[in-house]
Amino acid sequence: MSRSAKLPTEAELLAASADDYMSPAQLAFFRQRLLDEEAALRGAAEETTHHLQDNAAEPDPNDRASAEEEHTLELRVRDRERKLLKKIAQALKRIEDGSYGWCEDTGEPIGIARLLARPTASLCLEAQERHELKRRQFGG
């Protein structure tokens, strides 16, 4: 698909026939969505880096404690985002190798609605539920 071609909308994706599942236009839509999310996460990480570098030490112990708590929370969020960046990279790789949109466990379609909600999904809903149930039962 050429860069000048218009990507489908979410409504068009949801209305598409089953025969169009993971067509070049749909793959281009999800590739762009993943790239946009990746760019936003990288921008947020850079902003956090600048924010943490620019912060001067607070003379008041209460202010210092509040600032440290904010930094801790911000770093925790960035750690989650770092993990999401890995999932985005894996999803982009699946787009390139042709396995994007197909469940890693069952080989069934993941579904457009699920991919719109979670573009990094690698399991269909049923396989994800089984996976989460096993994790709750056996830990990990």
Side-chain angles (χ1 to χ4, degrees), residues 18-89:
D19 293 338
D20 288 335
Y21 189 70
M22 293 301 110
S23 68
Q26 290 180 350
L27 289 171
F29 173 91
F30 285 110
R31 178 184 294 114
Q32 190 59 52
R33 176 160 287 188
L34 289 162
L35 291 172
D36 290 347
E37 189 169 351
E38 180 183 47
L41 291 172
R42 291 194 187 283
E46 189 173 316
E47 192 175 299
T48 296
T49 301
H50 292 304
H51 179 250
L52 293 176
Q53 289 172 344
D54 292 344
N55 242 354
E58 299 283 346
D60 180 54
N62 290 328
D63 290 343
R64 189 173 35 237
S66 293
E68 287 176 7
E69 182 64 23
E70 285 177 21
H71 292 160
T72 300
L73 290 172
E74 198 168 354
L75 290 171
R76 198 173 299 154
V77 168
R78 294 300 163 247
D79 187 52
R80 282 192 201 126
E81 290 175 348
R82 179 186 54 80
K83 291 174 185 172
L84 182 54
L85 282 169
K86 285 182 183 177
K87 290 181 179 183
I88 290 171

Side-chain angles (χ1 to χ4, degrees), residues 18 21-22 99-104 106-115 121-127:
Y21 189 70
M22 293 301 110
S99 63
Y100 185 81
W102 304 96
C103 180
E104 289 180 349
T106 66
E108 296 292 317
I110 291 173
I112 295 294
R114 176 156 166 73
L115 290 170
S122 61
L123 299 172
C124 63
L125 192 55
E126 295 79 16

